[in-house]
mmCIF file with all atom_site columns, all heavy atoms in Angstrom:
data_model
loop_
_atom_site.group_PDB
_atom_site.id
_atom_site.type_symbol
_atom_site.label_atom_id
_atom_site.label_alt_id
_atom_site.label_comp_id
_atom_site.label_asym_id
_atom_site.label_entity_id
_atom_site.label_seq_id
_atom_site.pdbx_PDB_ins_code
_atom_site.Cartn_x
_atom_site.Cartn_y
_atom_site.Cartn_z
_atom_site.occupancy
_atom_site.B_iso_or_equiv
_atom_site.pdbx_formal_charge
_atom_site.auth_seq_id
_atom_site.auth_comp_id
_atom_site.auth_asym_id
_atom_site.auth_atom_id
_atom_site.pdbx_PDB_model_num
ATOM 1  N N   . ALA H 1 253 ? 16.957 13.485 7.392  1.00 0.00 ? 404 ALA H N   1
ATOM 2  C CA  . ALA H 1 253 ? 16.817 13.073 8.789  1.00 0.00 ? 404 ALA H CA  1
ATOM 3  C C   . ALA H 1 253 ? 17.748 11.906 9.114  1.00 0.00 ? 404 ALA H C   1
ATOM 4  O O   . ALA H 1 253 ? 18.309 11.833 10.217 1.00 0.00 ? 404 ALA H O   1
ATOM 5  C CB  . ALA H 1 253 ? 15.366 12.693 9.089  1.00 0.00 ? 404 ALA H CB  1
ATOM 6  N N   . LEU H 1 254 ? 17.946 11.009 8.168  1.00 0.00 ? 405 LEU H N   1
ATOM 7  C CA  . LEU H 1 254 ? 18.884 9.903  8.358  1.00 0.00 ? 405 LEU H CA  1
ATOM 8  C C   . LEU H 1 254 ? 20.325 10.416 8.382  1.00 0.00 ? 405 LEU H C   1
ATOM 9  O O   . LEU H 1 254 ? 21.129 10.017 9.234  1.00 0.00 ? 405 LEU H O   1
ATOM 10 C CB  . LEU H 1 254 ? 18.714 8.868  7.244  1.00 0.00 ? 405 LEU H CB  1
ATOM 11 C CG  . LEU H 1 254 ? 17.418 8.042  7.283  1.00 0.00 ? 405 LEU H CG  1
ATOM 12 C CD1 . LEU H 1 254 ? 17.189 7.335  5.955  1.00 0.00 ? 405 LEU H CD1 1
ATOM 13 C CD2 . LEU H 1 254 ? 17.460 7.016  8.413  1.00 0.00 ? 405 LEU H CD2 1
ATOM 14 N N   . ASP H 1 255 ? 20.640 11.325 7.465  1.00 0.00 ? 406 ASP H N   1
ATOM 15 C CA  . ASP H 1 255 ? 21.997 11.885 7.411  1.00 0.00 ? 406 ASP H CA  1
ATOM 16 C C   . ASP H 1 255 ? 22.335 12.663 8.674  1.00 0.00 ? 406 ASP H C   1
ATOM 17 O O   . ASP H 1 255 ? 23.484 12.642 9.138  1.00 0.00 ? 406 ASP H O   1
ATOM 18 C CB  . ASP H 1 255 ? 22.141 12.800 6.189  1.00 0.00 ? 406 ASP H CB  1
ATOM 19 C CG  . ASP H 1 255 ? 22.192 12.036 4.874  1.00 0.00 ? 406 ASP H CG  1
ATOM 20 O OD1 . ASP H 1 255 ? 22.458 10.819 4.907  1.00 0.00 ? 406 ASP H OD1 1
ATOM 21 O OD2 . ASP H 1 255 ? 21.951 12.663 3.824  1.00 0.00 ? 406 ASP H OD2 1
ATOM 22 N N   . ASP H 1 256 ? 21.336 13.351 9.235  1.00 0.00 ? 407 ASP H N   1
ATOM 23 C CA  . ASP H 1 256 ? 21.568 14.190 10.413 1.00 0.00 ? 407 ASP H CA  1
ATOM 24 C C   . ASP H 1 256 ? 21.488 13.403 11.722 1.00 0.00 ? 407 ASP H C   1
ATOM 25 O O   . ASP H 1 256 ? 21.703 13.974 12.789 1.00 0.00 ? 407 ASP H O   1
ATOM 26 C CB  . ASP H 1 256 ? 20.558 15.340 10.450 1.00 0.00 ? 407 ASP H CB  1
ATOM 27 C CG  . ASP H 1 256 ? 20.742 16.323 9.296  1.00 0.00 ? 407 ASP H CG  1
ATOM 28 O OD1 . ASP H 1 256 ? 21.827 16.306 8.684  1.00 0.00 ? 407 ASP H OD1 1
ATOM 29 O OD2 . ASP H 1 256 ? 19.797 17.086 9.009  1.00 0.00 ? 407 ASP H OD2 1
ATOM 30 N N   . GLY H 1 257 ? 21.151 12.117 11.644 1.00 0.00 ? 408 GLY H N   1
ATOM 31 C CA  . GLY H 1 257 ? 21.073 11.304 12.848 1.00 0.00 ? 408 GLY H CA  1
ATOM 32 C C   . GLY H 1 257 ? 19.787 11.452 13.623 1.00 0.00 ? 408 GLY H C   1
ATOM 33 O O   . GLY H 1 257 ? 19.663 10.917 14.732 1.00 0.00 ? 408 GLY H O   1
ATOM 34 N N   . ILE H 1 258 ? 18.818 12.201 13.069 1.00 0.00 ? 409 ILE H N   1
ATOM 35 C CA  . ILE H 1 258 ? 17.511 12.291 13.725 1.00 0.00 ? 409 ILE H CA  1
ATOM 36 C C   . ILE H 1 258 ? 16.877 10.908 13.746 1.00 0.00 ? 409 ILE H C   1
ATOM 37 O O   . ILE H 1 258 ? 16.360 10.450 14.773 1.00 0.00 ? 409 ILE H O   1
ATOM 38 C CB  . ILE H 1 258 ? 16.605 13.312 13.002 1.00 0.00 ? 409 ILE H CB  1
ATOM 39 C CG1 . ILE H 1 258 ? 17.196 14.715 13.112 1.00 0.00 ? 409 ILE H CG1 1
ATOM 40 C CG2 . ILE H 1 258 ? 15.192 13.276 13.583 1.00 0.00 ? 409 ILE H CG2 1
ATOM 41 C CD1 . ILE H 1 258 ? 16.473 15.749 12.273 1.00 0.00 ? 409 ILE H CD1 1
ATOM 42 N N   . LEU H 1 259 ? 16.923 10.233 12.601 1.00 0.00 ? 410 LEU H N   1
ATOM 43 C CA  . LEU H 1 259 ? 16.484 8.845  12.512 1.00 0.00 ? 410 LEU H CA  1
ATOM 44 C C   . LEU H 1 259 ? 17.703 7.939  12.462 1.00 0.00 ? 410 LEU H C   1
ATOM 45 O O   . LEU H 1 259 ? 18.692 8.239  11.791 1.00 0.00 ? 410 LEU H O   1
ATOM 46 C CB  . LEU H 1 259 ? 15.631 8.621  11.258 1.00 0.00 ? 410 LEU H CB  1
ATOM 47 C CG  . LEU H 1 259 ? 14.256 9.283  11.209 1.00 0.00 ? 410 LEU H CG  1
ATOM 48 C CD1 . LEU H 1 259 ? 13.572 8.942  9.895  1.00 0.00 ? 410 LEU H CD1 1
ATOM 49 C CD2 . LEU H 1 259 ? 13.390 8.862  12.383 1.00 0.00 ? 410 LEU H CD2 1
ATOM 50 N N   . ARG H 1 260 ? 17.589 6.810  13.154 1.00 0.00 ? 411 ARG H N   1
ATOM 51 C CA  . ARG H 1 260 ? 18.667 5.818  13.119 1.00 0.00 ? 411 ARG H CA  1
ATOM 52 C C   . ARG H 1 260 ? 18.503 4.874  11.939 1.00 0.00 ? 411 ARG H C   1
ATOM 53 O O   . ARG H 1 260 ? 19.467 4.281  11.456 1.00 0.00 ? 411 ARG H O   1
ATOM 54 C CB  . ARG H 1 260 ? 18.661 5.046  14.434 1.00 0.00 ? 411 ARG H CB  1
ATOM 55 C CG  . ARG H 1 260 ? 19.773 4.020  14.586 1.00 0.00 ? 411 ARG H CG  1
ATOM 56 C CD  . ARG H 1 260 ? 19.730 3.444  15.991 1.00 0.00 ? 411 ARG H CD  1
ATOM 57 N NE  . ARG H 1 260 ? 20.498 2.221  16.107 1.00 0.00 ? 411 ARG H NE  1
ATOM 58 C CZ  . ARG H 1 260 ? 20.485 1.440  17.181 1.00 0.00 ? 411 ARG H CZ  1
ATOM 59 N NH1 . ARG H 1 260 ? 19.740 1.773  18.224 1.00 0.00 ? 411 ARG H NH1 1
ATOM 60 N NH2 . ARG H 1 260 ? 21.205 0.341  17.225 1.00 0.00 ? 411 ARG H NH2 1
ATOM 61 N N   . GLY H 1 261 ? 17.274 4.716  11.481 1.00 0.00 ? 412 GLY H N   1
ATOM 62 C CA  . GLY H 1 261 ? 17.021 3.829  10.357 1.00 0.00 ? 412 GLY H CA  1
ATOM 63 C C   . GLY H 1 261 ? 15.559 3.854  9.988  1.00 0.00 ? 412 GLY H C   1
ATOM 64 O O   . GLY H 1 261 ? 14.730 4.482  10.670 1.00 0.00 ? 412 GLY H O   1
ATOM 65 N N   . ALA H 1 262 ? 15.216 3.162  8.900  1.00 0.00 ? 413 ALA H N   1
ATOM 66 C CA  . ALA H 1 262 ? 13.824 3.100  8.454  1.00 0.00 ? 413 ALA H CA  1
ATOM 67 C C   . ALA H 1 262 ? 13.577 1.790  7.712  1.00 0.00 ? 413 ALA H C   1
ATOM 68 O O   . ALA H 1 262 ? 14.486 1.241  7.083  1.00 0.00 ? 413 ALA H O   1
ATOM 69 C CB  . ALA H 1 262 ? 13.483 4.291  7.553  1.00 0.00 ? 413 ALA H CB  1
ATOM 70 N N   . GLY H 1 263 ? 12.353 1.323  7.827  1.00 0.00 ? 414 GLY H N   1
ATOM 71 C CA  . GLY H 1 263 ? 11.904 0.152  7.074  1.00 0.00 ? 414 GLY H CA  1
ATOM 72 C C   . GLY H 1 263 ? 10.750 0.563  6.192  1.00 0.00 ? 414 GLY H C   1
ATOM 73 O O   . GLY H 1 263 ? 9.706  1.017  6.685  1.00 0.00 ? 414 GLY H O   1
ATOM 74 N N   . LEU H 1 264 ? 10.923 0.469  4.876  1.00 0.00 ? 415 LEU H N   1
ATOM 75 C CA  . LEU H 1 264 ? 9.950  0.993  3.924  1.00 0.00 ? 415 LEU H CA  1
ATOM 76 C C   . LEU H 1 264 ? 9.467  -0.108 2.979  1.00 0.00 ? 415 LEU H C   1
ATOM 77 O O   . LEU H 1 264 ? 10.265 -0.694 2.240  1.00 0.00 ? 415 LEU H O   1
ATOM 78 C CB  . LEU H 1 264 ? 10.568 2.122  3.100  1.00 0.00 ? 415 LEU H CB  1
ATOM 79 C CG  . LEU H 1 264 ? 11.262 3.256  3.871  1.00 0.00 ? 415 LEU H CG  1
ATOM 80 C CD1 . LEU H 1 264 ? 11.938 4.211  2.897  1.00 0.00 ? 415 LEU H CD1 1
ATOM 81 C CD2 . LEU H 1 264 ? 10.271 3.989  4.772  1.00 0.00 ? 415 LEU H CD2 1
ATOM 82 N N   . ASP H 1 265 ? 8.190  -0.370 3.002  1.00 0.00 ? 416 ASP H N   1
ATOM 83 C CA  . ASP H 1 265 ? 7.604  -1.256 1.989  1.00 0.00 ? 416 ASP H CA  1
ATOM 84 C C   . ASP H 1 265 ? 7.023  -0.442 0.851  1.00 0.00 ? 416 ASP H C   1
ATOM 85 O O   . ASP H 1 265 ? 6.732  -0.981 -0.212 1.00 0.00 ? 416 ASP H O   1
ATOM 86 C CB  . ASP H 1 265 ? 6.516  -2.133 2.610  1.00 0.00 ? 416 ASP H CB  1
ATOM 87 C CG  . ASP H 1 265 ? 5.970  -3.168 1.630  1.00 0.00 ? 416 ASP H CG  1
ATOM 88 O OD1 . ASP H 1 265 ? 6.785  -3.951 1.097  1.00 0.00 ? 416 ASP H OD1 1
ATOM 89 O OD2 . ASP H 1 265 ? 4.749  -3.185 1.393  1.00 0.00 ? 416 ASP H OD2 1
#
Side-chain angles (χ1 to χ4, degrees):
L405 290 165
D406 288 342
D407 294 342
I409 296 172
L410 292 180
R411 183 174 164 189
L415 309 174
D416 186 56

